Amino acid sequence: MYNLLIALGAGLAITLGIKFAGFNIWAALVPGTLAFLGSYIWLGRRIGQKLQAIMAAVQRELQGQPTSQKEAQARLERAVKMLESGLVYDKWQFLVGAEVHSQIGMLKYMSKDLEGAQGHFARSSARNYLAKAMEGALFFQKKDSAAMKKSFEAAVVSGKKESVVWAVYAWCLLQNKDKDGALKVLGRAVEANPSDEKLKSSLSALQNDKKLKMKPYEPMWWQFGLETPPPQIMGGGGGRRVQFNPRR
């Protein structure tokens, strides 16, 4: 990654410069190390600021209620192109590409472009729990149970405090006639979130042979596209929320 190489170069240059000036190599290592760390942090923040600007532009593009399906699709396509422009920084900073792929995958998934979404999810960050959960929902729709479970398991590791992730996982298992699996997932969810009343209620419902209701998990539930939302929700909702958290 370019930022790392540049920072290493800066640190090495400082170290050698001090060494050639007649100082002991051990004395030169301290300022050299500080130069490396300072350069790497500064370069990382610089890339992070550029990506934040892209994400802010994407957010503005997706805000508000479109007047037609055509406009909504046009907005989405523009947003995806904006995000794709961020992929140029993949070679500069670790994990940037994976996070941008996560965001693109989610937008494509929510626009029902499952094939396009799958390609980006395959290169997405395992730490983006929402992207991994949507990937699981995608494999559910493709009737690939093994891949579905693998994606959801990744989602509940990074998003163990997010009740909707556990709930969607359990819902998909139920649709696949795997009630025991759904009960185990919700049991793990309650164990990880002992004060979450929504998850406890969902687990209790299944234990008493009642239907798993997803209403408590709205509006996030509708983003998975596994059920048709009411007309007033289909019409808008203030745009999709796009987040980017630069990691170094």
Side-chain angles (χ1 to χ4, degrees):
M1 296 298 161
Y2 297 155
N3 281 354
L4 179 60
L5 293 175
I6 293 170
L8 283 171
L12 183 61
I14 295 296
T15 300
L16 293 178
I18 294 174
K19 174 64 173 63
F20 291 147
F23 291 88
N24 184 282
I25 184 63
W26 298 108
L29 280 174
V30 173
T33 300
L34 291 174
F36 161 69
L37 293 174
S39 298
Y40 188 67
I41 291 172
W42 180 80
L43 290 167
R45 287 178 176 173
R46 182 169 172 267
I47 295 299
Q49 289 171 352
K50 291 179 181 292
L51 287 164
Q52 289 287 4
I54 292 174
M55 296 300 168
V58 170
Q59 192 67 36
R60 290 193 297 271
E61 184 65 47
L62 296 176
Q63 282 178 343
Q65 184 172 333
T67 58
S68 65
Q69 184 62 38
K70 183 177 180 180
E71 182 190 345
Q73 185 61 33
R75 284 190 188 186
L76 180 71
E77 290 174 358
R78 289 194 295 268
V80 168
K81 288 187 180 298
M82 290 177 190
L83 287 169
E84 288 175 341
S85 71
L87 290 173
V88 299
Y89 301 115
D90 184 26
K91 294 181 180 180
W92 286 86
Q93 188 71 21
F94 291 109
L95 304 178
V96 163
E99 185 59 30
V100 173
H101 280 298
S102 297
Q103 302 291 346
I104 295 173
M106 287 190 288
L107 287 183
K108 285 184 173 289
Y109 176 85
M110 287 187 285
S111 69
K112 303 299 183 183
D113 179 5
L114 299 188
E115 295 303 322
Q118 185 174 346
H120 287 284
F121 283 147
R123 292 175 283 178
S124 67
S125 170
R127 292 185 289 180
N128 191 315
Y129 62 85
L130 187 56
K132 300 310 292 183
M134 285 187 177
E135 183 182 45
L138 183 154
F139 285 124
F140 163 76
Q141 294 174 74
K142 287 178 169 284
K143 303 185 185 305
D144 188 339
S145 181
M148 179 197 83
K149 291 179 182 179
K150 182 179 179 180
S151 296
F152 274 122
E153 285 297 327
V156 298
V157 168
S158 57
K160 65 179 180 180
K161 297 299 182 182
E162 300 296 327
S163 58
V164 68
V165 174
W166 293 99
V168 175
Y169 188 4
W171 187 92
C172 289
L173 289 170
L174 278 175
Q175 302 307 305
N176 285 341
K177 312 300 182 185
D178 185 4
K179 183 179 178 180
D180 288 341
L183 282 167
K184 289 179 181 178
V185 164
L186 288 176
R188 290 163 55 199
V190 170
E191 184 178 351
N193 302 275
S195 62
D196 192 311
E197 295 301 325
K198 292 186 293 186
L199 288 171
K200 287 194 286 187
S201 178
S202 294
L203 176 59
S204 178
L206 284 194
Q207 288 173 332
N208 290 284
D209 294 322
K210 295 180 181 179
K211 183 180 179 181
L212 176 60
K213 296 181 180 179
M214 300 302 290
K215 186 174 179 59
Y217 306 99
E218 296 175 9
M220 287 294 293
W221 162 244
W222 301 122
Q223 295 191 28
F224 289 89
L226 298 175
E227 287 187 322
T228 303
Q232 63 269 25
I233 295 178
M234 293 178 66
R240 298 178 177 87
R241 188 163 178 250
V242 180
Q243 295 179 311
F244 177 75
N245 298 311
R247 301 182 176 99
R248 290 182 288 276

